[in-house]
Amino acid sequence: MSKIFDAKICDSFSRMFLNAQNAQECMSNIFFVIPAFNEQDRVGLVVRSLRSAGWMNVVVVDDGSKDNTSRSALDAGAILLQHVINRGQGAALQTGTEYALSKGADAIVHFDADGQHRIEDIAPMLAPVELHEVDVTFGSRFLSKQHLPFKRRILLKGSVLVLLLFYGMRMTDAHNGFRVLSRKAAEKVRITQDKMAHASEIVELVKHHGLRYKEIPVIICYTNETLRRGAGSFKGACKILWHMITKKVKT
Amino acid sequence: MQNTLAYDYKKGENMIVQVAALVFVLFAWSRALLRYRDNKIGMTGVIFWSIIWIGVLLLAFAPGLFARFGELVGVQRPVDVAVYTCLIVLLYLVFRLYVKQETGEAELTRLVRRIALQSPKKKVESQSK
């Protein structure tokens, strides 16, 4: 257990957790919210990895999956919430967040179900929030100098520019699903965009509520399938831009 | 050479068009009234569609009114006035439908979330001996 809190991961984190008992007390109110849609092959492994690392409050929100995502998540030991029909990743994140807040969460980690996020990146992401340095941490692929496919890099850089123009937020990675929110931030950041535009909405709400934030370098583990999905596809990016425009018009 | 149909239409002498318009309007009007009787639409809806169908009847039986309005706004033919008016009304209706759909989607998500939060599940871990 002590190896998990190795000082190499994060100096401030290791100062906090000097022994396993302290670690359990500090970690007991950290909730992981994992939105999942048709991830029966991967969600179980993600949940087991988190629980093996000592994170016990793992909430999987099954967003109307057609496969055995629910069974995989339950068997792995997750707390399962089920959307009876598919509503989108943003909707699933909000459902999981509301559950975590109702259970007294001190911090909420948004984590992907497809194994793209690394366990070793959790500690550096959590530390600034737990030390009350910031209210929100966002993972950034560009700070970690990770190699990305050219098309995805262009789209993500474009989305960063759009965020700057729309909301005045300077970020290096606008659509990273790896985030940590303090309880205060989670209560203020109420996601209303059900689909992929929720990522931009979260950034907008962080700015709107004057929350302190920081970007932390993370590594995203891509596969051929995950590269096809998400905001990195041109179609996905167009949909997100459309939602941002319509929301801007509404407000 | 004058377009015969336009010439007859302007003089209000195209009986076929007027009869067809009358039959269609009566049919559409009856549908609106039946939907009102079944509580599918309210009185506001009945009034709205009545105005539309009266407009169609006016176009068929008194195109001169449209011609006069067309002169005011710079459109030559009465039927063009009707088409442009219909286009504007249709766009407005599409907008209203879009807003209703967005509202419906948000309410659906709230309902799905409430159901999910009412019954969280967790596997009971058996104690090992």
Side-chain angles (χ1 to χ4, degrees), chain A residues 51 77 80 82 87 95 194, chain B residues 105 109 113 121-122 125:
Chain A
R51 285 172 63 83
L80 176 70
Q82 282 182 290
R87 299 311 299 155
T95 300
D194 290 348
Chain B
E105 289 285 328
T109 295
R113 178 169 300 135
K121 294 175 187 168
K122 185 163 171 58
E125 288 167 10

Side-chain angles (χ1 to χ4, degrees), chain A residues 139-159:
Chain A
S140 172
R141 286 160 281 198
F142 293 98
L143 287 181
S144 65
K145 307 272 191 269
Q146 178 180 0
H147 172 73
L148 291 171
F150 176 73
K151 192 179 94 170
R152 185 160 284 232
R153 182 176 286 270
I154 292 296
L155 285 171
L156 289 173
K157 286 292 188 186
S159 68

Side-chain angles (χ1 to χ4, degrees), chain A residues 138 159-160 162-163 166-167 169 171 174-176 179 189 191 193 195-207 231 236-237 239-241 243-245 247:
Chain A
F138 294 98
S159 68
V160 165
V162 168
L163 274 184
F166 271 66
Y167 311 128
M169 286 279 278
M171 295 183 70
H175 280 275
N176 195 310
R179 305 175 197 92
V189 174
I191 302 169
Q193 293 283 337
K195 307 292 181 188
M196 295 305 292
H198 70 274
S200 307
E201 186 185 27
I202 290 171
V203 172
E204 180 201 359
L205 289 170
V206 165
K207 166 86 173 173
K239 282 184 184 175
I240 291 166
L241 183 60
H243 283 295
M244 287 172 70
I245 292 169
K247 190 165 185 216

Side-chain angles (χ1 to χ4, degrees), chain A residues 51 74-75 77-85 87 91 94-95 98-99 190 194 246 250, chain B residues 98 102 104-106 108-123 125:
Chain A
R51 285 172 63 83
L74 268 177
D75 288 345
I79 302 162
L80 176 70
L81 302 174
Q82 282 182 290
H83 281 177
V84 290
I85 55 172
R87 299 311 299 155
Q94 183 60 31
T95 300
E98 287 188 21
Y99 176 83
R190 185 166 178 84
D194 290 348
T246 52
K250 277 184 204 174
Chain B
Y98 174 75
E102 288 281 292
E105 289 285 328
L108 183 57
T109 295
R110 274 197 289 274
L111 178 62
V112 168
R113 178 169 300 135
R114 183 178 290 188
I115 294 169
L117 290 172
Q118 277 175 351
S119 49
K121 294 175 187 168
K122 185 163 171 58
K123 187 176 175 183
E125 288 167 10

Side-chain angles (χ1 to χ4, degrees), chain A residues 6-39:
Chain A
D6 192 301
K8 289 177 185 174
I9 297 172
C10 178
D11 285 341
S12 56
F13 189 85
S14 63
R15 278 200 299 278
M16 279 180 70
F17 302 111
L18 295 175
N19 55 59
Q21 188 176 5
N22 278 345
Q24 280 303 112
E25 286 169 0
C26 293
M27 284 197 297
S28 62
N29 285 334
I30 306 293
F31 277 73
F32 282 73
V33 174
I34 304 176
F37 179 64
N38 293 343
E39 296 284 3

